[in-house]
Amino acid sequence: MTLPGDKSISHRAILFAALADGESVIDNVLVSGVTEAMLRALTALGVPWQLDGTRLTVQGGGLHGLQSPSAPIDCGNSATTIRLLAGVLAGAGVTAVLDGSPGLRRRPMRRVVAPLQQMGVALTAVDGCAPLTLAVGKRPLQALTYTLPVASAQVKSCLLLAALAAAGPTTLTEPGPSRDHTERMLRQMGVQVEEGAGQEAAQERWVRLYPPETALRPLQITIPGDMSSAAFLLVAALLTPGSLVTLAGVGLNPTRTGLLDALRSMGADIAISNEQEMAGEPMGDITLRAGELHGTEIGGDLVVRMIDEFPAFAVAAALAEGQTTVRDALELRHKESDRITMLCQELQAVGADVTETADGFVIYGKPLLTGGTINPHRDHRLAMSLAVAGLRSVNGITVQGAEIINESFPSFAQNLSELGAAISV
Ligand code: S3P
């Protein structure tokens, strides 16, 4: 099976194409709720684009080609859209208001507002949350040397994008290896971006961006399949006796493959083949065979390498033999829902043995779950992981408000059903 394009890479390709000089062609772009929010933003900023199936063409007008929008930009439920846009608009010197759904308005924005203000950006939030208001401030922006308090690709990307318009090189240090799609894509477009291991702690990383002296090259890329969508199908296959599934052309960027390491540490039989590189991103086929899983321990830098995969992972753990412990995962509380409390609550509701901790959870696996009806709390990944849990439940699982799945993986139910799952919408 092949999967829709990676959400993180799609977001970046759409937005960065708008900053390039000329026409970009992006194949296998993810068409879903959150990427539609980014496309709406391009329209609001006066950037022409055209979507033909999953081929997106964008007419980029260069780093200074964005128009100030006449109304607030609606970023929907997409934190990537609002945080990356804040960086781009800060760099472009565009006046704008960035807003979104009630869920998005609850997400923390101080983490981008404070360092952008340090760069001289005239930006305000409301109690550290959206709406964000950008006014025209001093130009050019000040170069920044900054240590991120938590590993976050959205914060890092926001600041790197603003740094395109800074007076000198910007250096960011992160406590762990967050996804590096921005760095890879900007390099493809001709921007000098360096990186290396930090000195203070084993997992620390630094990245330095030099403001470009020439226009950004347009993109001609095919986006690999989304590892974070693959996660649900991989866990479904692992938990269904007799399954043998190959997911072809999935992104295998090492900052995104933590789930594969976690599942292997539980005894999963996973093989990678056809490895290749596509526009600076590694990709390949993942073949997985169902089998017995045992409990494991997750913590440290593995957490950031599988930050979006904990809902799927927890379902695997709930059906494994023995105890699984997750720690160092406080960031999960700041996702589309509080993914520690809500995940534990909803897994308990279908019969799993889960205990919430301050920065993670402890799960005792069972052979089968009871099942029931669950509330995904408008969190697409909770909805999909609990649907997958239904495959190993006595009574089946009904996910209310399942339309939230369209935010990241509209073909989820269809793909799962093509693999043989009994799922209806
Ligand atoms: C993303 C980064 C992660 C991730 C999100 C997408 C990105 O968020 O959870 O789904 O595309 O940069 P944080 O950077 O807030 O950890």
Side-chain angles (χ1 to χ4, degrees):
M1 173 166 284
T2 56
L3 292 168
D6 184 87
K7 169 167 91 69
S8 290
I9 302 177
S10 296
H11 271 311
R12 285 158 175 79
I14 297 169
L15 181 59
F16 299 4
L19 307 178
D21 228 355
E23 180 176 285
S24 289
V25 181
I26 302 154
D27 279 309
N28 199 35
V29 71
L30 173 67
V31 182
S32 74
V34 291
T35 52
E36 276 160 10
M38 189 66 96
L39 288 169
R40 274 200 307 272
L42 256 52
T43 303
L45 295 164
V47 180
W49 55 269
Q50 199 188 341
L51 193 58
D52 183 5
T54 58
R55 166 172 282 199
L56 176 71
T57 310
V58 179
Q59 310 297 332
L63 281 169
H64 304 288
L66 304 179
Q67 294 164 14
S68 288
S70 51
I73 296 181
D74 177 9
C75 301
N77 287 319
S78 176
T80 311
T81 300
I82 195 168
R83 294 195 179 117
L84 268 56
L85 264 181
V88 162
L89 300 187
V94 162
T95 308
V97 177
L98 302 177
D99 204 354
S101 67
L104 187 65
R105 281 184 170 199
R106 285 193 292 272
R107 308 284 294 275
M109 293 298 147
R110 253 184 211 114
R111 48 181 68 190
V112 291
V113 171
L116 284 175
Q117 285 172 340
Q118 274 187 44
M119 296 178 86
V121 179
L123 169 67
T124 55
V126 179
D127 289 334
C129 293
L132 305 179
T133 303
L134 285 133
V136 179
K138 260 196 336 240
R139 320 275 321 152
L141 300 182
Q142 283 166 43
L144 183 69
T145 299
Y146 183 72
T147 299
L148 276 65
V150 289
S152 162
Q154 291 180 1
V155 175
K156 177 176 64 175
S157 301
C158 166
L159 301 177
L160 290 176
L161 290 165
L164 290 170
T170 280
T171 307
L172 306 174
T173 306
E174 276 199 295
S178 76
R179 62 195 68 190
D180 63 354
H181 306 303
T182 294
E183 295 89 312
R184 288 171 186 256
M185 197 176 287
L186 287 177
R187 274 192 207 110
Q188 294 283 320
M189 301 176 83
V191 182
Q192 188 184 348
V193 185
E194 298 168 351
E195 63 190 298
Q199 289 173 345
E200 300 292 320
Q203 299 311 327
E204 200 178 83
R205 308 278 311 158
W206 62 264
V207 54
R208 181 171 302 128
L209 180 143
Y210 295 81
E213 279 157 18
T214 52
L216 301 195
R217 279 197 294 271
L219 293 166
Q220 302 284 337
I221 57 168
T222 300
I223 296 183
D226 196 330
M227 170 60 81
S228 297
S229 296
F232 304 106
L233 306 185
L234 292 176
V235 169
L238 259 180
L239 295 177
T240 307
S243 299
L244 174 63
V245 168
T246 297
L247 301 178
V250 181
L252 293 173
N253 182 315
T255 60
R256 297 285 301 283
T257 51
L259 177 73
L260 301 183
D261 297 346
L263 293 175
R264 280 185 175 130
S265 78
M266 301 173 85
D269 177 357
I270 301 174
I272 305 290
S273 57
N274 278 333
E275 284 183 82
Q276 49 186 299
E277 205 169 282
M278 172 68 70
E281 288 283 348
M283 61 189 275
D285 301 351
I286 306 174
T287 299
L288 180 141
R289 202 179 279 277
E292 292 300 310
L293 299 179
H294 53 78
T296 189
E297 303 224 343
I298 305 289
D301 75 305
L302 182 54
V303 170
V304 66
R305 293 183 49 244
M306 58 180 286
I307 192 69
D308 288 339
E309 278 61 81
F310 282 95
F313 170 76
V315 170
L319 289 154
E321 162 94 45
Q323 179 181 322
T324 292
T325 306
V326 171
R327 48 175 77 87
D328 305 327
L330 197 62
E331 266 302 283
L332 293 181
R333 295 199 184 276
H334 304 296
K335 296 298 175 189
E336 284 81 335
S337 68
D338 175 338
R339 277 196 191 147
I340 295 181
T341 299
M342 295 311 171
L343 184 59
C344 292
Q345 182 182 305
E346 298 306 320
L347 277 173
Q348 280 160 6
V350 294
D353 185 347
V354 196
T355 309
E356 175 175 348
T357 61
D359 65 348
F361 44 84
V362 179
I363 301 185
Y364 294 92
K366 292 181 169 184
L368 269 183
L369 302 174
T370 328
T373 298
I374 66 101
N375 176 357
H377 303 275
R378 296 201 54 74
D379 182 338
H380 54 131
R381 299 199 199 284
L382 275 195
M384 289 185 274
S385 56
L386 286 149
V388 165
L391 296 172
R392 280 275 292 270
S393 67
V394 179
N395 301 319
I397 290 179
T398 300
V399 179
Q400 291 175 324
E403 66 280 358
I404 196 70
I405 291 171
N406 293 334
E407 288 297 309
S408 70
F409 191 4
S411 63
F412 166 76
Q414 188 195 325
N415 287 157
L416 202 56
S417 136
E418 281 166 17
L419 292 177
I423 180 167
S424 57
V425 181

Coordinates of all heavy atoms in Angstrom, one line a residue, residues 6-12 79-81 83-84 107-108 111 148 150-158 174 178-182 228 256 304 306-309 331-332 334-336 339 380-381, ligand 1:
D6 N 3.6 13.1 3.3 CA 3.9 13.5 4.7 C 3.3 14.9 5.0 O 3.5 15.8 4.3 CB 5.4 13.5 4.9 CG 5.9 13.8 6.3 OD1 5.9 12.8 7.1 OD2 6.1 14.9 6.6
K7 N 2.7 14.9 6.2 CA 2.1 16.2 6.6 C 3.1 17.3 6.8 O 2.9 18.4 6.3 CB 1.2 15.9 7.9 CG 0.7 17.2 8.6 CD -0.3 16.8 9.6 CE 0.2 16.6 11.0 NZ 0.7 17.8 11.7
S8 N 4.1 17.0 7.5 CA 5.1 18.0 7.9 C 5.8 18.5 6.6 O 6.1 19.7 6.4 CB 6.2 17.5 8.8 OG 5.7 17.3 10.1
I9 N 6.2 17.6 5.7 CA 6.9 18.0 4.5 C 5.9 18.7 3.6 O 6.3 19.7 2.9 CB 7.5 16.8 3.8 CG1 8.5 16.1 4.8 CG2 8.3 17.2 2.5 CD1 9.1 14.8 4.2
S10 N 4.7 18.3 3.5 CA 3.7 19.0 2.7 C 3.5 20.5 3.1 O 3.5 21.4 2.3 CB 2.3 18.3 2.7 OG 2.4 17.0 2.2
H11 N 3.3 20.7 4.5 CA 3.2 22.0 5.0 C 4.4 22.9 4.5 O 4.2 24.0 4.1 CB 3.3 22.0 6.5 CG 1.9 21.8 7.2 ND1 0.8 22.6 6.9 CD2 1.6 21.0 8.2 CE1 -0.2 22.2 7.6 NE2 0.2 21.3 8.4
R12 N 5.6 22.3 4.6 CA 6.8 23.1 4.3 C 6.8 23.4 2.8 O 7.1 24.5 2.4 CB 8.0 22.4 4.8 CG 8.2 22.5 6.3 CD 9.0 21.4 6.9 NE 9.3 21.5 8.3 CZ 8.4 21.2 9.3 NH1 7.2 20.8 9.0 NH2 8.7 21.4 10.6
A79 N -1.4 23.8 14.1 CA -0.3 24.5 14.8 C 0.9 24.7 13.9 O 1.6 25.8 14.0 CB 0.1 23.7 16.0
T80 N 1.1 23.8 13.0 CA 2.3 24.0 12.1 C 2.0 25.2 11.2 O 2.9 26.0 11.0 CB 2.4 22.7 11.2 OG1 2.4 21.5 12.0 CG2 3.8 22.7 10.4
T81 N 0.8 25.3 10.7 CA 0.5 26.5 9.8 C 0.7 27.8 10.6 O 1.4 28.7 10.1 CB -1.0 26.4 9.3 OG1 -1.1 25.2 8.6 CG2 -1.4 27.5 8.5
R83 N 2.4 28.5 13.4 CA 3.8 28.8 13.8 C 4.7 29.0 12.7 O 5.6 29.9 12.7 CB 4.3 27.6 14.7 CG 3.4 27.5 16.0 CD 4.1 26.6 17.1 NE 3.4 26.5 18.3 CZ 2.9 25.4 18.8 NH1 3.0 24.3 18.2 NH2 2.3 25.4 20.0
L84 N 4.6 28.3 11.6 CA 5.5 28.5 10.5 C 5.2 29.8 9.8 O 6.1 30.6 9.4 CB 5.5 27.3 9.5 CG 6.6 26.2 9.8 CD1 6.5 25.7 11.2 CD2 6.5 25.1 8.7
R107 N -3.5 26.2 22.1 CA -2.1 25.8 21.9 C -1.1 26.9 22.4 O -1.3 28.0 22.1 CB -1.8 25.3 20.5 CG -2.8 24.3 19.9 CD -2.7 22.9 20.4 NE -1.4 22.3 20.0 CZ -1.3 21.6 18.9 NH1 -2.2 21.6 18.0 NH2 -0.1 21.1 18.6
P108 N 0.1 26.5 23.0 CA 1.0 27.5 23.4 C 1.8 28.2 22.3 O 2.3 27.6 21.5 CB 2.0 26.7 24.3 CG 1.9 25.3 23.9 CD 0.5 25.1 23.3
R111 N 6.2 30.2 23.0 CA 7.4 29.6 22.5 C 7.9 30.2 21.2 O 9.1 30.1 20.9 CB 7.2 28.1 22.4 CG 6.0 27.6 21.7 CD 5.8 26.1 21.7 NE 5.6 25.5 23.0 CZ 5.6 24.2 23.2 NH1 5.9 23.4 22.3 NH2 5.4 23.7 24.4
L148 N 16.3 26.7 22.5 CA 14.9 26.3 22.6 C 14.8 25.6 24.0 O 15.5 24.6 24.2 CB 14.5 25.4 21.5 CG 14.0 26.1 20.2 CD1 15.2 26.8 19.5 CD2 13.5 25.0 19.2
V150 N 12.4 23.5 24.8 CA 12.0 22.1 24.5 C 12.3 21.9 23.0 O 12.3 22.8 22.2 CB 10.5 21.8 24.7 CG1 10.1 21.8 26.2 CG2 9.6 22.8 24.0
A151 N 12.6 20.6 22.7 CA 12.8 20.3 21.3 C 11.5 20.4 20.5 O 10.5 19.8 20.9 CB 13.3 18.8 21.2
S152 N 11.5 21.3 19.5 CA 10.2 21.5 18.8 C 10.6 22.0 17.4 O 11.2 23.0 17.1 CB 9.4 22.6 19.4 OG 8.4 23.0 18.5
A153 N 10.2 21.1 16.4 CA 10.5 21.5 15.0 C 9.7 22.7 14.5 O 10.1 23.5 13.7 CB 10.2 20.3 14.1
Q154 N 8.5 22.9 15.1 CA 7.7 24.0 14.7 C 8.3 25.3 15.2 O 8.4 26.3 14.4 CB 6.3 23.9 15.3 CG 5.5 22.8 14.7 CD 4.1 22.6 15.2 OE1 3.6 23.4 16.1 NE2 3.4 21.6 14.7
V155 N 8.8 25.3 16.4 CA 9.5 26.5 16.9 C 10.8 26.8 16.1 O 11.1 27.9 15.6 CB 9.8 26.4 18.4 CG1 10.6 27.6 18.9 CG2 8.5 26.3 19.2
K156 N 11.6 25.7 16.0 CA 12.8 25.8 15.2 C 12.6 26.4 13.8 O 13.2 27.3 13.3 CB 13.5 24.4 15.2 CG 14.8 24.4 14.3 CD 15.4 23.0 14.4 CE 14.5 21.9 13.8 NZ 15.2 20.6 13.8
S157 N 11.5 25.8 13.1 CA 11.2 26.2 11.8 C 10.8 27.6 11.7 O 11.2 28.4 10.8 CB 10.2 25.3 11.2 OG 10.6 23.9 11.2
C158 N 9.9 28.0 12.6 CA 9.4 29.4 12.7 C 10.6 30.4 12.7 O 10.7 31.3 12.0 CB 8.5 29.6 13.9 SG 8.2 31.3 14.3
E174 N 18.9 23.1 20.3 CA 17.7 22.3 20.8 C 18.2 21.2 21.7 O 19.2 20.6 21.5 CB 17.1 21.6 19.6 CG 16.2 22.3 18.7 CD 15.4 21.4 17.9 OE1 15.9 20.6 17.1 OE2 14.2 21.3 18.2
S178 N 14.7 17.3 17.0 CA 13.4 17.4 16.4 C 13.5 17.3 14.9 O 14.6 17.4 14.3 CB 12.7 18.7 16.8 OG 13.3 19.8 16.1
R179 N 12.4 17.0 14.2 CA 12.4 16.7 12.8 C 13.1 17.9 12.0 O 12.9 19.0 12.3 CB 11.0 16.5 12.2 CG 10.1 17.6 12.4 CD 8.6 17.2 12.2 NE 8.2 16.3 13.3 CZ 7.1 15.6 13.3 NH1 6.2 15.7 12.3 NH2 6.8 14.9 14.3
D180 N 13.9 17.5 11.0 CA 14.7 18.5 10.3 C 14.3 18.7 8.9 O 15.2 19.0 8.0 CB 16.2 18.1 10.4 CG 16.5 16.8 9.7 OD1 15.5 16.1 9.2 OD2 17.7 16.4 9.5
H181 N 13.0 18.6 8.6 CA 12.6 18.8 7.2 C 12.8 20.2 6.7 O 13.1 20.4 5.5 CB 11.1 18.5 7.1 CG 10.7 17.1 7.6 ND1 11.2 16.0 7.1 CD2 9.8 16.8 8.6 CE1 10.7 15.0 7.8 NE2 9.8 15.4 8.7
T182 N 12.7 21.2 7.6 CA 12.9 22.6 7.2 C 14.3 22.8 6.7 O 14.6 23.4 5.6 CB 12.6 23.5 8.3 OG1 11.2 23.4 8.6 CG2 13.0 25.0 8.0
S228 N 3.8 9.1 10.0 CA 2.9 9.3 11.1 C 1.5 8.7 10.8 O 0.8 8.3 11.7 CB 2.7 10.8 11.5 OG 4.0 11.2 12.0
R256 N 12.2 10.9 12.4 CA 10.8 10.5 12.4 C 10.5 9.0 12.6 O 9.4 8.6 12.6 CB 10.1 10.9 11.0 CG 10.1 12.4 10.7 CD 9.1 13.1 11.5 NE 7.8 12.6 11.3 CZ 7.0 12.9 10.2 NH1 7.5 13.7 9.3 NH2 5.8 12.4 10.0
V304 N 11.1 12.4 21.2 CA 10.9 13.5 20.2 C 10.9 12.8 18.8 O 10.2 13.3 17.9 CB 11.9 14.6 20.3 CG1 13.4 14.2 20.0 CG2 11.6 15.8 19.4
M306 N 9.5 10.2 18.0 CA 8.2 9.5 17.8 C 7.0 10.3 18.4 O 6.0 9.8 18.8 CB 8.2 8.1 18.4 CG 8.5 7.9 19.8 SD 8.5 6.2 20.4 CE 6.7 5.8 20.5
I307 N 7.3 11.7 18.5 CA 6.4 12.5 19.3 C 4.9 12.4 18.8 O 4.0 12.5 19.7 CB 6.8 14.0 19.2 CG1 6.1 14.8 20.3 CG2 6.7 14.6 17.9 CD1 6.4 14.5 21.7
D308 N 4.6 12.2 17.5 CA 3.2 12.1 17.1 C 2.7 10.7 17.2 O 1.5 10.4 16.9 CB 3.1 12.6 15.7 CG 3.2 14.1 15.6 OD1 3.0 14.8 16.7 OD2 3.6 14.7 14.5
E309 N 3.6 9.7 17.5 CA 3.2 8.3 17.4 C 2.7 7.7 18.7 O 2.4 6.5 18.8 CB 4.3 7.5 16.8 CG 4.4 7.6 15.3 CD 4.6 9.0 14.7 OE1 5.8 9.5 14.7 OE2 3.6 9.6 14.3
E331 N 5.7 17.0 26.6 CA 5.2 17.7 25.4 C 3.9 17.2 24.9 O 3.1 17.9 24.2 CB 6.2 17.7 24.3 CG 7.2 18.9 24.2 CD 6.4 20.2 24.1 OE1 6.0 20.6 23.0 OE2 6.3 20.9 25.1
L332 N 3.6 15.9 25.2 CA 2.3 15.3 24.7 C 1.1 16.1 25.3 O 0.0 16.0 24.7 CB 2.2 13.9 25.1 CG 3.2 12.9 24.5 CD1 3.0 11.5 25.0 CD2 3.1 13.0 23.0
H334 N 0.7 19.1 25.1 CA 0.5 20.4 24.3 C 0.2 20.1 22.9 O 0.4 20.9 22.0 CB 1.7 21.3 24.4 CG 2.1 21.6 25.8 ND1 1.3 22.4 26.6 CD2 3.2 21.2 26.5 CE1 1.9 22.5 27.8 NE2 3.0 21.8 27.8
K335 N -0.4 18.9 22.6 CA -0.7 18.5 21.2 C -2.2 18.9 21.0 O -2.8 19.6 21.7 CB -0.4 17.1 21.0 CG 1.1 16.8 21.1 CD 1.9 17.6 20.0 CE 3.4 17.4 20.1 NZ 4.1 18.3 19.3
E336 N -2.8 18.2 20.0 CA -4.2 18.6 19.6 C -5.1 18.4 20.8 O -6.2 19.0 20.9 CB -4.6 17.7 18.4 CG -4.1 18.2 17.1 CD -2.7 17.8 16.8 OE1 -1.9 17.5 17.7 OE2 -2.3 17.7 15.6
R339 N -2.4 14.8 25.3 CA -2.3 13.4 24.8 C -1.8 12.4 25.9 O -1.7 11.2 25.7 CB -1.4 13.2 23.6 CG -2.2 13.5 22.4 CD -1.4 13.1 21.1 NE -2.1 13.6 20.0 CZ -1.5 14.0 18.9 NH1 -0.2 13.8 18.7 NH2 -2.2 14.5 17.9
H380 N -7.2 14.1 15.9 CA -7.2 13.1 14.8 C -6.4 11.9 15.2 O -6.8 10.8 14.8 CB -6.7 13.8 13.6 CG -5.3 14.4 13.7 ND1 -4.3 14.2 12.8 CD2 -4.8 15.3 14.6 CE1 -3.2 14.9 13.2 NE2 -3.5 15.5 14.3
R381 N -5.3 12.0 15.9 CA -4.5 10.8 16.2 C -5.1 10.0 17.3 O -5.0 8.7 17.3 CB -3.1 11.2 16.5 CG -2.4 12.0 15.4 CD -0.9 12.0 15.5 NE -0.3 13.0 14.7 CZ -0.1 12.9 13.4 NH1 -0.5 11.9 12.7 NH2 0.5 13.9 12.7
Ligands
S3P1 C1 5.6 19.2 13.5 C2 6.3 19.2 14.6 C3 5.8 18.6 15.8 C4 4.6 17.6 15.5 C5 3.6 18.2 14.6 C6 4.3 18.6 13.3 C7 6.1 19.9 12.3 O1 5.3 19.6 16.7 O2 4.0 17.2 16.8 O3 2.6 17.2 14.3 O4 5.7 19.7 11.2 O5 7.1 20.7 12.5 P1 6.3 20.4 17.7 O6 7.3 21.0 16.9 O7 5.4 21.3 18.4 O8 6.8 19.3 18.7

